């Protein structure tokens, strides 16, 4: 019998309608459209309305995916929600999503690995499929970053946006799906990108709130240096160990944090810009949402048998690459 691999068989996504442009940000912090464009590649990002949460975006993405695949929510075995902005500290947002979409036969959990969460979730989900026990696993990646951004801090508020994507994993015995992965963490990098308060180390108090410690804190320049080096290295490493040349790769699906980091990764892999999927200009950095939203936006372009390299770098530090063969034509 051939080996069971986990293949993506459907994709769904959602980005809020409200657009926050660079021009809008010029009126909020000391920045310019030109600075943001040239340093990050971002033109605009989406903002979810007040009163809505990550699960609301995720449910739209999941329902789209179910409809495209022509299956009922009752057929889903497992839901993994990769996020750093879950609806509540607990219970898990995956539970809320299962309830809202009617996935009554599924169990689920949240997975937190900052910007690499979706990649780590894909790896986790693929192991459930490879075990043979589970046939339909949904991996969601998404964040309402606007809920944890300080819109007086120009170092962070210009980068991030809101959005969520979701993929369905199913068994494949034709050699399609997830072929290899390299995942890494280095917790010593936590000081450069984190949220200071709200967890068990610094529970919420009036002081933590007035010190603005419930927002994203980032030392951008340091994170940039680690991101360029590590995302490029791991992407090259996964190519080398699978004997892949630039010619073999159809698309690079890279975390959308900064166009300069994505370009550096593509250069290291020696692949041309025509093979680099990019939507950072429209959504900014949606943290866990970037990879599934790329697959969602470019789904029609992807053909059965295409070779994709997915790569991320994020807070933790966390980073990694997945080599997969696309499994369907849409
Ligand atoms: O997704 C998770 C992982 N995160 C990342 O991968 C993000 C990695 N970091 C980055 O993408 C970049 O470091 C940033 C986009 C955050 C910043 O870009 P940079 O080119 O590294 O800028 P910088 O921090 O070195 O700042 C350069 C200058 C500074 O001014 P001086 O000291 O040279 O006078 C900053 O104060 O630009 C200034 N600056 C800004 N100016 C206008 C910083 N932010 C802004 C801004 N608008 N928004």
């Amino acid at each position: 019998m051939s080996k069971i691999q986990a293949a993506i068989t459907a994709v769904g996504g959602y980005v809020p309608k409200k657009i926050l442009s660079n021009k809008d940000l010029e009126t909020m912090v000391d920045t310019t459209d030109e600075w943001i464009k040239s340093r990050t590649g971002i033109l605009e990002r989406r903002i979810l309305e007040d009163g809505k949460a990550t699960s609301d975006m995720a449910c739209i993405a999941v329902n789209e995916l179910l409809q495209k695949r022509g299956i009922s929510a009752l057929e889903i075995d497992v839901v993994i929600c990769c996020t750093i902005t879950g609806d509540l500290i607990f219970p898990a947002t995956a539970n809320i999503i299962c309830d809202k979409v009617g996935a009554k036969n599924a169990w689920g959990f949240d997975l937190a690995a900052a910007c690499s969460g979706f990649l780590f979730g894909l790896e986790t989900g693929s192991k459930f499929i490879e075990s043979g026990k589970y046939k339909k696993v949904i991996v969601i990646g998404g964040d309402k970053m606007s809920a944890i951004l300080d819109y007086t801090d120009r170092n962070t508020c210009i980068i991030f946006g809101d959005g969520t994507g979701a993929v369905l994993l199913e068994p494949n015995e034709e050699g399609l799906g997830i072929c290899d992965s390299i995942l890494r963490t280095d917790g010593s990098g936590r000081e450069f990108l984190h949220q200071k308060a709200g967890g068990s180390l610094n529970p919420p108090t009036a002081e933590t709130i007035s010190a603005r410690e419930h927002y994203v804190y980032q030392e951008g320049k340091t994170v940039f240096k680690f991101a360029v080096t590590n995302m490029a290295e791991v992407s090259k490493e996964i190519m080398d160990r699978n004997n892949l040349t630039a010619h073999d790769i159809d698309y690079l699906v890279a975390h959308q944090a900064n166009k300069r980091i994505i370009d550096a990764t593509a250069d290291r892999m020696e692949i041309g810009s025509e093979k680099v999927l990019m939507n950072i200009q429209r959504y900014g950095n949606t943290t866990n949402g970037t990879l599934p939203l790329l697959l969602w936006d470019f789904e029609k372009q992807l053909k059965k048998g295409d070779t994709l390299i997915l790569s991320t770098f994020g807070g933790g530090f966390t980073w990694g690459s997945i080599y997969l063969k696309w499994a369907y034509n849409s």
Side-chain angles (χ1 to χ4, degrees), residues 29-32 35-36 39-40 115 154-155 158-160 193 218-224 227 255-258 260-261 285 287 313-315:
V29 289
D30 180 16
T31 193
T32 62
W35 191 97
I36 301 171
R39 298 289 180 123
T40 69
C115 297
R154 69 177 184 175
N155 291 303
I158 56 125
I159 303 169
F160 296 96
L193 179 50
Q218 174 170 250
E219 291 180 27
K221 210 183 279 245
T222 309
V223 177
F224 184 90
H255 177 49
Q256 307 283 292
N258 188 317
R260 290 184 288 145
I261 300 172
N285 181 350
T287 305
F313 183 89

Side-chain angles (χ1 to χ4, degrees), residues 76-136:
I76 301 305
D77 299 312
V78 183
V79 172
I80 304 173
C81 180
C82 310
T83 188
I84 58 164
T85 53
D87 291 20
L88 303 165
I89 298 286
F90 74 90
T93 302
N95 299 14
I96 299 170
I97 295 164
C98 286
D99 178 47
K100 286 184 178 174
V101 303
K104 292 194 186 310
N105 299 314
W107 62 282
F109 57 92
D110 289 0
L111 189 155
C115 297
S116 303
F118 181 76
L119 204 75
F120 287 20
L122 262 193
E123 170 77 348
T124 308
S126 74
K127 298 302 158 197
F128 287 119
I129 296 289
E130 287 169 19
S131 76
K133 181 171 179 184
Y134 299 100
K135 307 293 181 211
K136 289 183 171 50

Side-chain angles (χ1 to χ4, degrees), residues 18-26 31-47 157-161 256-259 278-285:
K18 185 180 169 192
I19 292 173
L20 181 66
S21 69
N22 291 349
K23 284 277 172 212
D24 295 330
L25 282 165
E26 283 182 357
T31 193
T32 62
D33 174 43
E34 189 46 41
W35 191 97
I36 301 171
K37 268 194 303 210
S38 62
R39 298 289 180 123
T40 69
I42 301 167
L43 307 184
E44 59 189 39
R45 66 289 293 139
R46 302 299 179 99
I47 304 295
C157 73
I158 56 125
I159 303 169
F160 296 96
Q256 307 283 292
N258 188 317
K259 185 174 182 299
M278 197 90 79
N279 57 13
I280 190 172
Q281 66 281 7
R282 291 188 290 138
Y283 307 149
N285 181 350

Side-chain angles (χ1 to χ4, degrees), residues 5-265:
Q5 287 184 190
I8 294 174
T9 56
V11 182
Y14 178 76
V15 288
K17 290 194 177 31
K18 185 180 169 192
I19 292 173
L20 181 66
S21 69
N22 291 349
K23 284 277 172 212
D24 295 330
L25 282 165
E26 283 182 357
T27 68
M28 297 160 69
V29 289
D30 180 16
T31 193
T32 62
D33 174 43
E34 189 46 41
W35 191 97
I36 301 171
K37 268 194 303 210
S38 62
R39 298 289 180 123
T40 69
I42 301 167
L43 307 184
E44 59 189 39
R45 66 289 293 139
R46 302 299 179 99
I47 304 295
L48 189 63
E49 66 215 77
D50 290 345
K52 297 275 184 194
T54 299
S55 74
D56 295 302
M57 296 190 286
C59 287
I60 296 171
V62 167
N63 282 326
E64 181 189 343
L65 163 167
L66 294 172
Q67 192 243 327
K68 277 183 182 167
R69 186 72 184 91
I71 58 172
S72 142
L74 296 172
E75 294 177 59
I76 301 305
D77 299 312
V78 183
V79 172
I80 304 173
C81 180
C82 310
T83 188
I84 58 164
T85 53
D87 291 20
L88 303 165
I89 298 286
F90 74 90
T93 302
N95 299 14
I96 299 170
I97 295 164
C98 286
D99 178 47
K100 286 184 178 174
V101 303
K104 292 194 186 310
N105 299 314
W107 62 282
F109 57 92
D110 289 0
L111 189 155
C115 297
S116 303
F118 181 76
L119 204 75
F120 287 20
L122 262 193
E123 170 77 348
T124 308
S126 74
K127 298 302 158 197
F128 287 119
I129 296 289
E130 287 169 19
S131 76
K133 181 171 179 184
Y134 299 100
K135 307 293 181 211
K136 289 183 171 50
V137 175
I138 289 182
V139 183
I140 299 159
D143 277 294
K144 182 185 180 183
M145 292 304 293
S146 61
I148 56 166
L149 286 177
D150 181 350
Y151 284 98
T152 67
D153 175 14
R154 69 177 184 175
N155 291 303
T156 50
C157 73
I158 56 125
I159 303 169
F160 296 96
D162 301 339
T164 297
V167 301
L168 178 66
L169 293 177
E170 292 186 85
N172 184 286
E173 296 188 42
E174 298 174 74
L176 303 173
I178 294 171
C179 301
D180 194 17
S181 62
I182 304 174
L183 304 176
R184 302 267 185 261
T185 59
D186 177 1
S188 69
R190 64 190 179 280
E191 64 181 288
F192 304 112
L193 179 50
H194 60 264
Q195 183 180 321
K196 292 185 188 305
S200 57
L201 180 63
N202 296 309
T205 61
E207 287 73 32
T208 63
I209 290 168
S210 61
R212 311 184 82 77
E213 289 180 352
H214 294 269
Y215 295 123
V216 173
Y217 169 83
Q218 174 170 250
E219 291 180 27
K221 210 183 279 245
T222 309
V223 177
F224 184 90
K225 266 190 252 165
F226 278 97
V228 165
T229 310
N230 289 316
M231 204 161 92
E233 277 307 310
V234 81
S235 306
K236 185 72 172 75
E237 191 183 340
I238 205 159
M239 286 173 70
D240 290 347
R241 84 176 191 190
N242 288 284
N243 299 314
L244 296 169
T245 65
H247 178 75
D248 300 315
I249 292 168
D250 294 293
Y251 297 107
L252 169 65
V253 184
H255 177 49
Q256 307 283 292
N258 188 317
K259 185 174 182 299
R260 290 184 288 145
I261 300 172
I262 303 165
D263 290 344
T265 302

